Amino acid sequence: MDNLESIPPHFRNQLSHHQQPSPAPEDGGNPTKYLESLPIIDLENLNNDKNEVEEACQNWGLFRLVNHGIPSSLLRQLHEQTKQVFSLSYESKQASCDGSHVNYFCGSTALTPSGTTIPNERHNTNFFEGFGIPSDQLFKFHPQIPILESFRVLLVEYEKHMSRIATTLFEGMIKNLELEMEESKYKLEDKTGLFRVYRYLHCSDPDGGLGLAVHTDSSVLTILNQEDEVSGLEVLRDHQWLTVKPISNTLIVNIGDLMQAISDDKYKSALHRVKVDKHKDRVSTAYFIYSGEGVTIKSSNYIPFTANQFLAQVEQDIKTIGHKIGLSRFKRNEDN
């Protein structure tokens, strides 16, 4: 395998040798089936696309965003720099985050909101590594490695676009839901933004492991910038896993658990996973945004809770039972 030093040590034996074919998974192990009909939302025409947005949020939980206003040159640079960052040695990547609020992690989806791996021996190991970078740390994180510093500078510019897009989409959704836009009731805060930058390692037997296990996002919205050449993101649709085809200069937007609660279950948090590729590594940059600090989410289906309370419960569940429970923890009983 190329650049073995860049791979976390506990993956090297598993990924550097040809693996024997594994038994067919429950979904049948069929060849990749692309999701051709994924809803497309035009950010420049958002006010006129109300029906399309509602259809995407209610029936899909994700959509492809076009005309988002991010220069293609910035997206291209981000992809190239991401690959260079992950080509660094494992030790360099791990040491680069020492003494900062930026985190390097690998093999576990059990992460705190800041990106730190939650200690738990029962979670599944997945074939990926990544960095967790809170938006409010971008100006405080100054790595000594030139490649990482160049990448940080790009993220500073990219974050401006993510904040703009997330706010525009969220305000449009709140308007469509006919909820009152009271600043104290519904708002996003830039400081809650979190980047998770991933490399999914290729594997000779892609059915032998996942990049990311099946999950929903805990955010209000997630905005994904995935590599153009290598697919991997899959969404569950009509009881079948379908691959979201990567298309240049587009973004994928996921509805998160918090947005589902805000909408009183009118919008659906997308159930998705990531499969590894047989021949190539895959990189992606995901931006997660949460409701503002102190904002209480109130709806008829859930007891009132804040984003911090929700994330704390997710973290506690992962620590104690090994996996996320999510919104079910906050469902109202008949007695509530």
Side-chain angles (χ1 to χ4, degrees):
M1 178 170 287
D2 296 337
N3 197 9
L4 193 62
E5 290 185 355
S6 74
I7 298 173
H10 54 287
F11 289 155
R12 291 174 187 174
N13 288 336
Q14 299 176 67
L15 298 174
S16 61
H17 297 92
H18 178 75
Q19 299 173 341
Q20 294 297 318
S22 59
E26 293 181 1
D27 59 22
N30 294 323
T32 298
K33 293 185 177 180
Y34 284 113
L35 184 59
E36 302 292 349
S37 56
L38 186 68
I40 298 174
I41 302 300
D42 185 337
L43 190 65
E44 292 183 355
N45 200 38
L46 192 65
N47 291 333
N48 297 321
D49 283 352
K50 178 179 178 180
N51 292 337
E52 288 81 357
V53 173
E54 289 291 276
E55 162 71 12
C57 295
Q58 291 180 13
N59 298 325
W60 291 80
L62 79 167
F63 53 84
R64 191 183 302 278
L65 190 69
V66 299
N67 290 328
H68 44 64
I70 305 176
S72 58
S73 58
L74 176 58
L75 295 176
R76 185 171 57 253
Q77 286 180 295
L78 195 63
H79 283 314
E80 292 171 354
Q81 289 279 355
T82 301
K83 291 178 180 179
Q84 290 184 40
V85 166
F86 283 118
S87 71
L88 295 169
S89 71
Y90 166 75
E91 290 76 15
S92 295
K93 288 177 286 194
Q94 191 177 46
S96 67
C97 299
D98 290 348
S100 75
H101 291 283
V102 173
N103 297 281
Y104 171 77
F105 51 84
C106 57
S108 173
T109 55
L111 306 173
T112 67
S114 63
T116 306
T117 301
I118 299 171
N120 171 35
E121 296 181 356
R122 287 174 287 181
H123 63 247
N124 295 322
T125 296
N126 304 280
F127 295 138
F128 73 86
E129 61 175 337
F131 289 91
I133 310 172
S135 295
D136 62 358
Q137 297 299 314
L138 283 172
F139 288 98
K140 302 175 184 178
F141 178 55
H142 294 287
Q144 299 302 308
I145 302 173
I147 292 175
L148 268 174
E149 175 59 17
S150 297
F151 182 65
R152 183 197 69 82
V153 172
L154 281 178
L155 276 185
V156 169
E157 183 64 23
Y158 186 63
E159 193 275 337
K160 297 175 185 176
H161 291 285
M162 290 293 97
S163 175
R164 169 182 57 81
I165 292 170
T167 299
T168 302
L169 289 173
F170 180 69
E171 290 180 353
M173 291 174 186
I174 292 297
K175 183 178 180 180
N176 289 349
L177 290 165
E178 299 181 349
L179 298 174
E180 296 178 10
M181 277 297 295
E182 299 174 13
E183 184 178 356
S184 61
K185 186 175 182 181
Y186 297 111
K187 65 176 180 178
L188 301 179
E189 285 188 1
D190 291 345
K191 68 178 183 180
T192 70
L194 171 67
F195 285 104
R196 284 183 183 159
V197 186
Y198 293 96
R199 176 172 75 154
Y200 299 98
L201 300 162
H202 70 276
C203 178
S204 58
D205 177 18
D207 288 327
L210 285 170
L212 274 179
V214 178
H215 67 287
T216 60
D217 292 339
S218 298
S219 55
V220 173
L221 297 173
T222 303
I223 304 174
L224 176 70
N225 175 14
Q226 59 176 342
E227 185 178 9
D228 302 339
E229 299 176 358
V230 186
S231 61
L233 175 64
E234 296 186 342
V235 61
L236 189 63
R237 182 73 175 168
D238 297 327
H239 308 291
Q240 184 177 24
W241 287 105
L242 298 175
T243 299
V244 178
K245 187 176 182 178
I247 298 177
S248 62
N249 295 323
T250 69
L251 303 170
I252 300 298
V253 179
N254 284 6
I255 300 298
D257 296 335
L258 297 181
M259 191 69 225
Q260 178 172 328
I262 289 170
S263 73
D264 226 354
D265 290 341
K266 294 182 180 68
Y267 294 174
K268 303 301 180 186
S269 186
L271 192 66
H272 57 286
R273 69 182 186 184
V274 177
K275 293 295 291 289
V276 295
D277 187 78
K278 186 174 183 178
H279 303 290
K280 294 182 178 181
D281 292 352
R282 173 179 176 266
V283 297
S284 68
T285 302
Y287 175 79
F288 302 83
I289 189 74
Y290 301 86
S291 50
E293 185 176 350
V295 173
T296 300
I297 296 172
K298 298 178 181 179
S299 70
S300 62
N301 291 330
Y302 301 95
I303 62 174
F305 65 91
T306 66
N308 286 340
Q309 289 172 331
F310 182 77
L311 294 170
Q313 183 63 60
V314 169
E315 182 176 340
Q316 181 63 29
D317 286 339
I318 292 172
K319 284 180 178 178
T320 55
I321 62 176
H323 61 88
K324 171 184 170 179
I325 300 296
L327 285 174
S328 297
R329 286 287 194 197
F330 296 85
K331 272 284 189 181
R332 288 185 182 274
N333 304 327
E334 292 182 0
D335 297 333
N336 289 144

